[in-house]
Amino acid sequence: MCKGLTLLPTTCLERAKELKARLGSFLQKPDWSLASFKIGKTRPTLEQCMRWKESFEKLLSNKHGLMAFTAFLVSEFSEENIAFYVACEDFRNTKSAAKLEAKAQRIYDEFICTDAPREVNIDHETRDITRANLKDPSTSCFDMAQHRIYLLMAKDCYPRFLRSPAYKDLISQLRAKCTSTSKKA
């Protein structure tokens, strides 16, 4: 390691590594081919992908839709939003009271606190309320912040996702596959 780098605080080095990873992904074109959407033995159908247009909720409730939307957000450097949303969903389903406090602190440290590595864009009031909720964590302590991020994604990211060339290409690939399958039959 360069001598100058060893003098920097660990947080600076971690931040530099994160920036290097982000810049590296900037140069890569997102791969939205059908092969990249294989989850287990299933792939999205044309009908599933068309349903994603009906509502943001339908997109998020479909495992392929969530994966496609996440890939889109990664390509736009705003994946922290969906990561926070998913972390909150996981947190809400936590059954063990013993794990609740540790999970809550991890989510807060990763997404909410000032200078968090994956800080989400929420207003000061929501941040303060969430911080106060951590004093006595419950499964609903992130509800307000999660709702703000959900609305942000639904109003901003979701419409861009539906207009994106990657989503349109995926629909075209599935239509072509349906057409070739029907010709074979």
Side-chain angles (χ1 to χ4, degrees), residues 91 97 100-102 104-105 132-142:
F91 178 77
L100 214 57
E101 189 173 340
Q105 192 61 52
N133 289 345
L134 289 182
K135 291 177 182 165
D136 186 25
S138 70
T139 56
S140 62
C141 68
F142 292 106

Side-chain angles (χ1 to χ4, degrees), residues 110-179:
E110 186 173 351
F111 298 104
I112 306 288
C113 75
T114 307
D115 295 328
R118 298 168 77 184
E119 186 176 359
V120 292
N121 186 10
I122 55 173
D123 58 273
H124 193 285
E125 180 184 354
T126 303
R127 189 177 312 279
D128 290 345
I129 290 169
T130 304
R131 185 181 312 114
N133 289 345
L134 289 182
K135 291 177 182 165
D136 186 25
S138 70
T139 56
S140 62
C141 68
F142 292 106
D143 284 359
M144 186 178 193
Q146 184 187 25
H147 181 69
R148 298 268 196 248
I149 294 302
Y150 178 91
L151 290 177
L152 175 73
M153 291 189 300
K155 290 179 181 176
D156 184 39
C157 305
Y158 173 62
R160 283 197 326 270
F161 167 75
L162 295 176
R163 291 188 308 266
S164 71
Y167 176 69
K168 290 177 181 178
D169 288 347
L170 181 61
I171 295 294
S172 295
Q173 291 172 35
L174 289 166
R175 281 193 175 128
K177 186 179 177 194
C178 287
T179 304

